[in-house]
Amino acid sequence: MDKLLIEGGHRLCGEAEMSGAKNAALPILCAALLTREPLTLTNVPQLNDIGTMLKLLAQMGVAVQREGSTVTLDASGLNNPLAPYEMVKTMRASILVLGPLVARCGEARVSLPGGCAIGARPVDQHIKGLTAMGADISVEHGYVVARTTRLKGARLFTDMVTVTGTENLMMAAVLADGETVIENAAREPEVVDLANCLVAMGARISGAGTDVIRIQGVDRLHGATHRIMPDRIETGTYLCAAAVTGGEIRLTGTSAGYLDAVIDKLMDAGCDIRTEKSPSFEAIVLKAPEKLKAVSIRTAPYPAFPTDMQAQFMAVNTVAEGTAVIRETIFENRFMHAVELARLGADIRIDGNTAVVTGVARLDGATVMATDLRASAGLIIAGLVARGETLIERIYHLDRGYERIEQKLTALGATVRRVS
């Protein structure tokens, strides 16, 4: 099993191009199930989760063509509305095939998903919404089984803000009979990106990016070409890595508009951040201060501070000046990286969903274990600033969400290599 070996103490300087967003690409890949015509997607990141989703779609009868960051999907031969456990156990996003399959095929059999071990992430809101739209749904032997003649438009209110729930119900509603209104909808940019793709395919959607989304169902969707949005979490991760190493970097192919909460906190920590815009590109430039200041954060649904950046900021705070309080309100089991950071010498106290981080003069390299995708990123950030060598085990989590991370970090001046 691969591990990542980091020699700390090197400033990150230079330029790196950010990849397309995994969390936008996965639901948009599933949108191909809604039409018999080809859907071409560009800026698709080359990640393990993307590969898993493409294999899942292929076994359903979808023709997949992939060339670099461009993927073309043709679901005209869709003939197997099944998502088996063996293919989806490592990836929670597999549940996103449920809505499109029910909408187009009138049936689906989807295994309950797996993914990172960061707490309970139930799919009851997906089931509740589809049931309200007229689907007959049961859970049998670990599978969600759904049947319907045609979904009907309905007024849906989710009990909690759920990104995948919003995306699943939105995809189901585009082919439903009548109007569907999703209240308490997720407002994340990835939801907006999915809506933009669906609209390009002929869907009628308004309100994406707000907490009320309206969808007028249509009889059919057509093919389209769509570019996946930049990965805001990858961008935030590299900004944190540069900040903690006292570096200066320029990130291209990204957008500061998705990162207000993260950029505000990095500026509070003392970083100088500016954006560069032209008709053809947008870039973010960060220059770190001599000494970072501790910043407290509270995770919450977009546009508040993202839970997917919590581990990275915990790593930043371990060597910042002062004490920071981190409150995790999204997932109840997302502080497992704190124990591993403590192995590097971090001063972290956990009490329920709150972590108190007091900055220390330095971290020392050690062997640590990644417990989930974003924890992996947090440990890398800590390893970049720690004295000596840090060995990160179980980095298969990392390969699910960061494209060519060793190459990108090395190009910025880090000493990082993958070892077996």
Side-chain angles (χ1 to χ4, degrees):
M1 188 176 295
D2 285 355
K3 305 173 184 180
L4 209 62
L5 184 64
I6 303 173
E7 180 187 292
H10 301 281
R11 294 175 69 236
L12 294 194
C13 296
E15 182 174 298
E17 183 176 3
M18 297 294 93
S19 302
K22 176 193 80 136
N23 289 340
L26 290 172
I28 291 173
L29 289 171
C30 297
L33 296 167
L34 292 163
T35 178
R36 295 180 177 274
E37 299 179 15
L39 175 65
T40 298
L41 305 173
T42 62
N43 202 34
V44 179
Q46 299 186 46
L47 302 168
N48 285 357
D49 275 9
I50 298 296
T52 299
M53 182 63 80
L54 292 177
K55 290 177 184 176
L56 176 61
L57 295 173
Q59 70 87 36
M60 294 179 183
V62 179
V64 177
Q65 291 185 333
R66 186 175 187 179
E67 185 173 342
S69 61
T70 298
V71 175
T72 299
L73 302 163
D74 183 347
S76 58
L78 177 64
N79 57 11
N80 184 31
L82 167 69
Y85 173 74
E86 291 74 19
M87 298 196 69
V88 305
K89 61 184 178 182
T90 61
M91 186 180 66
R92 183 177 184 270
S94 58
I95 195 66
L96 287 164
V97 302
L98 179 62
L101 287 176
V102 176
R104 180 173 161 198
C105 303
E107 61 176 317
R109 184 177 173 86
V110 179
S111 172
L112 291 169
C116 290
I118 57 174
R121 299 194 280 184
V123 297
D124 57 319
Q125 299 303 306
H126 307 238
I127 294 172
K128 173 187 170 185
L130 290 171
T131 300
M133 296 171 72
D136 179 18
I137 299 182
S138 59
V139 177
E140 304 172 5
H141 307 293
Y143 281 78
V144 178
V145 180
R147 297 180 181 85
T148 187
T149 50
R150 184 182 181 186
L151 294 173
K152 305 289 185 183
R155 194 170 198 93
L156 310 177
F157 183 88
T158 58
D159 298 332
M160 56 187 288
V161 177
T162 162
V163 176
T164 54
T166 299
E167 292 166 341
N168 230 342
L169 297 176
M170 189 161 61
M171 286 190 283
V174 295
L175 294 181
D177 181 17
E179 181 183 65
T180 298
V181 179
I182 306 173
E183 299 187 61
N184 200 30
R187 300 163 60 186
E188 271 71 3
E190 293 80 8
V191 173
V192 178
D193 204 31
L194 172 60
N196 290 339
C197 179
L198 293 171
V199 168
M201 296 167 68
R204 298 171 61 191
I205 302 172
S206 62
T210 75
D211 59 359
V212 179
I213 301 176
R214 296 180 181 274
I215 304 110
Q216 299 286 342
V218 297
D219 290 333
R220 58 182 293 275
L221 296 182
H222 52 70
T225 298
H226 177 78
R227 181 176 175 82
I228 302 297
M229 65 172 279
D231 194 322
R232 60 192 174 104
I233 305 303
E234 180 193 35
T235 300
T237 299
Y238 280 91
L239 291 175
C240 285
V244 82
T245 61
E248 184 173 357
I249 63 170
R250 181 174 183 266
L251 303 180
T252 61
T254 187
S255 174
Y258 306 130
L259 283 164
D260 287 345
V262 170
I263 288 175
D264 285 350
K265 289 297 182 181
L266 284 169
M267 293 177 70
D268 289 345
C271 296
D272 178 33
I273 299 177
R274 59 185 173 87
T275 59
E276 300 175 356
K277 293 184 180 181
S278 77
S280 58
F281 76 90
E282 183 169 348
I284 302 174
V285 179
L286 177 144
K287 183 177 181 180
E290 288 187 13
K291 185 63 177 177
L292 290 167
K293 301 173 186 175
V295 287
S296 296
I297 60 172
R298 179 183 183 275
T299 67
Y302 189 86
F305 192 91
T307 181
D308 278 354
M309 285 299 303
Q310 178 255 105
Q312 297 90 314
F313 266 77
M314 183 179 287
V316 169
N317 280 320
T318 61
V319 292
E321 199 170 62
T323 298
V325 177
I326 298 175
R327 291 188 174 87
E328 173 60 59
T329 73
I330 306 296
F331 297 122
E332 74 280 1
N333 196 26
R334 206 169 198 178
F335 281 152
M336 290 187 289
H337 46 274
V339 177
E340 301 302 311
L341 289 171
R343 289 180 54 77
L344 301 175
D347 181 353
I348 304 172
R349 301 188 307 278
I350 304 293
D351 182 10
N353 71 338
T354 301
V356 179
V357 186
T358 301
V360 297
R362 71 163 190 262
L363 300 178
D364 288 311
T367 298
V368 292
M369 181 179 68
T371 52
D372 63 69
L373 171 56
R374 304 308 173 185
S376 305
L379 293 176
I380 286 176
I381 290 169
L384 289 171
V385 76
R387 184 178 62 173
E389 290 187 339
T390 297
L391 184 66
I392 304 176
E393 299 183 338
R394 292 176 62 178
I395 62 166
Y396 59 84
H397 291 293
L398 193 70
D399 295 331
R400 292 181 47 230
Y402 289 93
E403 184 178 38
R404 297 184 295 106
I405 191 165
E406 309 102 287
Q407 293 95 317
K408 290 183 181 182
L409 287 172
T410 299
L412 291 169
T415 300
V416 180
R417 64 188 175 94
R418 189 173 292 237
V419 297
S420 296

